[in-house]
Amino acid sequence: MDAKVNNLKTISNLCPECGGSIISLIETGDIICNECGLVIDEKRVDFTHNGRRAYTNDERNSRERTGAPISVLLPDIGLTTTIDKSKINNPDLKRAAKWNTRMNWEKRNILIATTELKRIGSKLNLPNHVKEEAMRIYREIHKRNLLRGRSINSMVAACLYYAIRKFTLSRTMQEVLEESSENPKDVRRCYRVILHELNLKAPNTNPISLIPRFIVDLGLNNEILNLTTKIVKAYISKFVSSSGKDPKGIVAGALYIACKIKGLDLTQQKIAETVGITEVTLRSRAKELKSKLKIQI
């Protein structure tokens, strides 16, 4: 190691080949000539912090040179600067440190939004990439001053629902509304604002993605799963206009037909309660599926 250090010290600021200036590439650790491209040293190792090993958690934390990773789920994206007031004697600096801890309305708005987003996200067990996408959309809405006259929590719920649909998760608008304390009409209005003002296209919810979840909730087997999937696929492939209907209703109707074909005694009430629709909707979708696909039970 000593030989390597001495070798590094002998490297001058001039190229030994042409006398040109040399530059250091941080990405690769190489030192090359800026004029002729000669590689003077490659994969250079930084020995300045050698010997600083950590054997306990306290030592490791005290020797870390990086903070927590930045994240849009944090109000300040993780770039907060905290001033220690205990060691400040100057009254002017103390006053400045005190004002540094106060939050303006913009930061308070983001804090409320991130808190609500994390709460709903944890209740629905949503992955981080969905919550991050929802927070990016909310920040863009906030940046364009589109929150005036609208509830923060309603906009958060709408952003979450759009992120859920974008990543095709098996969660519905009704589930988001159940976890949110806001008026469903306000959430739907905010969702339309997101699509219109940000010029976004509303991704369609694929009914097939909802089937496995309801199969598990109802305690049904793979035979019913395969038959229900087959019915829904046939319906979607032949009737494109079905995209305007509630995907839960299509799945519920297909589930009911599949159970009838296999002779399972599963009531309409239980299916409707599990899926989250009314029995009237279930009967309407089941009747439509049997008529259009010519299914005989």
Side-chain angles (χ1 to χ4, degrees), residues 246-282:
D246 186 1
K248 293 188 298 180
I250 299 173
V251 172
L255 272 170
Y256 180 70
I257 293 173
C259 291
K260 284 294 183 182
I261 292 175
K262 295 300 180 180
L264 294 180
D265 188 16
L266 196 62
T267 63
Q268 295 180 1
Q269 181 182 4
K270 186 174 181 180
I271 296 176
E273 289 178 352
T274 303
V275 176
I277 61 172
T278 63
E279 294 182 46
V280 176
T281 302
L282 188 151

Side-chain angles (χ1 to χ4, degrees), residues 8 12 16 69 80-81 125 139 245 282 290:
L8 292 175
S12 65
T80 302
T81 300
N125 196 24
R139 287 180 182 272
K245 293 184 174 64
L282 188 151
K290 288 189 292 183

Side-chain angles (χ1 to χ4, degrees), residues 36 42 61 74 130 135 145 154 156 205 237 270:
C36 65
E42 59 180 353
N61 294 332
L74 298 174
V130 174
M135 198 62 217
N145 295 323
S154 296
V156 167
T205 301
S237 62
K270 186 174 181 180

Side-chain angles (χ1 to χ4, degrees), residues 77-188:
I77 319 182
L79 299 176
T80 302
T81 300
T82 304
I83 302 176
D84 186 7
K85 296 184 292 184
S86 61
K87 298 180 181 180
I88 300 177
N89 296 322
N90 190 307
D92 294 333
L93 292 178
K94 278 190 174 182
R95 191 179 301 108
K98 179 180 179 181
W99 279 99
N100 182 67
T101 59
R102 297 188 177 182
M103 298 177 64
N104 56 26
W105 168 241
E106 181 178 354
K107 291 183 179 179
R108 194 178 298 114
N109 184 300
I110 298 296
L111 176 61
I112 295 171
T114 51
T115 304
E116 178 70 3
L117 189 145
K118 289 178 181 178
R119 185 187 68 82
I120 298 177
S122 62
K123 289 283 187 179
L124 296 177
N125 196 24
L126 300 177
N128 276 335
H129 66 274
V130 174
K131 292 185 284 187
E132 289 173 357
E133 178 65 19
M135 198 62 217
R136 288 190 191 98
I137 297 171
Y138 181 86
R139 287 180 182 272
E140 185 63 25
I141 290 289
H142 183 269
K143 181 181 177 181
R144 299 192 185 190
N145 295 323
L146 298 175
L147 282 170
R148 183 170 297 178
R150 299 183 177 94
S151 168
I152 296 175
N153 292 345
S154 296
M155 188 61 73
V156 167
C159 293
L160 264 175
Y161 179 61
Y162 176 82
I164 288 171
R165 293 190 66 173
K166 180 179 179 179
F167 291 103
T168 62
L169 267 66
S170 58
R171 297 291 181 183
T172 61
M173 169 67 89
Q174 186 60 36
E175 291 177 282
V176 176
L177 293 176
E178 288 175 358
E179 300 301 335
S180 176
S181 58
E182 298 299 307
N183 190 326
K185 289 185 179 179
D186 294 337
V187 177
R188 292 189 174 94

Side-chain angles (χ1 to χ4, degrees), residues 28-67:
T28 60
D30 299 340
I31 298 178
I32 64 173
C33 175
N34 195 30
E35 303 295 334
C36 65
L38 175 68
V39 179
I40 302 172
D41 192 19
E42 59 180 353
K43 297 182 181 178
R44 187 174 181 182
V45 181
D46 182 9
F47 292 98
T48 56
H49 301 112
N50 186 47
R52 291 179 58 83
R53 294 182 178 179
Y55 297 96
T56 63
N57 288 332
D58 293 337
E59 288 182 358
R60 181 176 60 81
N61 294 332
S62 63
R63 294 174 184 179
E64 283 183 349
R65 296 178 180 83
T66 58

